[in-house]
């Protein structure tokens, strides 16, 4: 009888697996974002959604998820890719280069993309179905002609700051929840740079979609985990 009581107690804390007994665990605690948390919505723009110049498969599916999540946050940041014509990240800028090839730039290897998110075009606009009336700031990135910027915190040289870290710290933000497009590029770089800047970081997986270029999605999750980024679902937020 005493052994049964011990096993029941152990099961509640997930401690019985070593005994070879399979028993259900309690569900993980839900997360209620506090006043010192921020939702970062990365690049939910027409260019990255079906019909755009660099569409991410299923990109439009993140919009209703993000809209619902927004109700749980007092602080919301939106980012936009905001490239010049003839940007260094465009394959069309280089003779003989094709999209998704790479080239060497001053800061290292650069994936070359189709022309996308050119400043002031409808392609670069935020998706019309995105409803974030309480968002306080839009961070535009990638606007230096000779340098790309996947991250909302730093440009691709890992030196040039966007100012987002300072803004969030001035607002007392300690934790960020990252959503948007694409998981394996701008979302991942934003999340890892947020960790580098000292924030606790969650990526809300079902509020992102990936390009998955040559295994880039699996590699991105591995890199994020190594940096201490936590992977959750929108249903974990209350």
């Amino acid at each position: 009888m005493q052994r049964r009581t011990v096993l029941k107690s152990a099961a509640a804390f997930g401690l019985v697996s070593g005994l070879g007994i399979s028993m259900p665990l309690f569900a993980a605690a839900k997360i209620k974002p506090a006043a010192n948390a921020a939702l970062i919505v990365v690049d939910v723009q027409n260019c990255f959604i079906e019909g755009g110049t660099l569409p991410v498969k299923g990109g439009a599916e993140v919009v209703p998820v993000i809209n619902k999540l927004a109700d749980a946050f007092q602080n919301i940041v939106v980012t936009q890719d905001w490239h010049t014509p003839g940007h260094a990240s465009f394959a069309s800028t280089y003779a003989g280069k094709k999209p998704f090839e790479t080239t060497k730039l001053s800061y290292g290897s650069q994936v070359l993309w189709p022309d996308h998110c050119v400043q002031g075009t409808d392609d670069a606009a935020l998706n019309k179905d995105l409803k974030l009336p309480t968002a306080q700031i839009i961070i535009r990135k990638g606007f230096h002609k000779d340098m790309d910027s996947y991250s909302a915190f730093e440009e691709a040289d890992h030196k040039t700051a966007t100012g987002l870290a300072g803004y969030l710290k001035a607002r007392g933000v300690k934790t960020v929840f990252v959503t948007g497009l694409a998981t394996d590029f701008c979302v991942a770089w934003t999340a890892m740079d947020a960790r580098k800047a000292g924030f606790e970081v969650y990526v809300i997986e079902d509020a992102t979609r990936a390009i998955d270029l040559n295994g880039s999605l699996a590699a991105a999750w591995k890199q994020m985990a190594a940096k201490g980024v936590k992977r959750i679902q929108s249903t974990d937020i209350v």
Side-chain angles (χ1 to χ4, degrees), residues 83-101:
H83 296 311
T84 60
H87 192 262
S89 68
F90 294 170
S92 63
T93 302
Y94 308 92
K97 286 288 189 180
K98 296 179 181 179
F100 310 111
E101 294 181 352

Side-chain angles (χ1 to χ4, degrees), residues 116-137:
H116 66 282
C117 293
V118 173
Q119 297 172 3
T121 64
D122 185 63
D123 191 58
L126 296 171
N127 181 259
K128 63 180 177 56
D129 295 323
L130 196 62
K131 306 298 182 187
L132 302 172
T134 59
Q136 298 98 348
I137 188 171

Side-chain angles (χ1 to χ4, degrees), residues 204-225:
I204 305 176
E205 183 176 17
D206 60 325
T208 73
R209 291 294 184 277
I211 294 174
D212 202 12
L213 182 64
N214 300 321
S216 57
L217 179 59
W221 281 120
K222 184 176 181 180
Q223 290 163 1
M224 285 190 279

Side-chain angles (χ1 to χ4, degrees), residues 6-220:
V6 170
L7 288 178
K8 283 181 182 178
S9 298
F13 292 98
L15 300 176
V16 298
S17 59
L19 301 176
I21 300 171
S22 177
M23 299 183 74
L25 304 180
F26 287 138
K30 298 289 185 179
I31 302 168
K32 183 173 177 61
N36 65 354
L39 179 69
I40 301 180
V41 180
V42 176
D43 297 358
V44 183
Q45 298 166 257
N46 293 334
C47 53
F48 297 122
I49 289 175
E50 290 83 348
T53 49
L54 184 54
V56 178
K57 185 178 180 181
E61 296 168 3
V62 305
V63 174
V65 181
I66 292 170
N67 288 347
K68 185 175 180 181
L69 283 166
D71 292 337
F73 290 86
Q74 295 182 32
N75 303 293
I76 300 175
V77 173
V78 178
T79 79
Q80 279 182 287
D81 234 15
W82 201 247
H83 296 311
T84 60
H87 192 262
S89 68
F90 294 170
S92 63
T93 302
Y94 308 92
K97 286 288 189 180
K98 296 179 181 179
F100 310 111
E101 294 181 352
T102 60
T103 193
K104 288 289 184 182
L105 296 180
S106 61
Y107 49 82
S109 181
Q110 171 68 49
V111 176
L112 296 176
W113 307 104
D115 292 24
H116 66 282
C117 293
V118 173
Q119 297 172 3
T121 64
D122 185 63
D123 191 58
L126 296 171
N127 181 259
K128 63 180 177 56
D129 295 323
L130 196 62
K131 306 298 182 187
L132 302 172
T134 59
Q136 298 98 348
I137 188 171
I138 294 174
I139 295 288
R140 286 175 168 168
K141 57 190 183 62
F143 55 82
H144 294 300
K145 188 171 184 176
D146 297 326
M147 182 163 42
D148 207 2
S149 183
Y150 296 146
S151 170
F153 289 89
E154 290 183 355
E155 301 206 27
D157 63 354
H158 300 294
K159 296 176 183 177
T160 305
T162 65
L164 180 56
Y167 170 83
L168 292 173
K169 289 177 181 179
R171 298 287 298 271
V173 170
K174 304 291 186 185
T175 305
V176 298
F177 294 78
V178 187
T179 63
L181 305 171
T183 320
D184 40 346
F185 287 92
C186 296
V187 168
W189 284 46
T190 294
M192 290 188 286
D193 281 351
R195 284 292 298 143
K196 180 180 172 182
F199 297 98
E200 183 177 13
V201 183
Y202 296 84
V203 169
I204 305 176
E205 183 176 17
D206 60 325
T208 73
R209 291 294 184 277
I211 294 174
D212 202 12
L213 182 64
N214 300 321
S216 57
L217 179 59

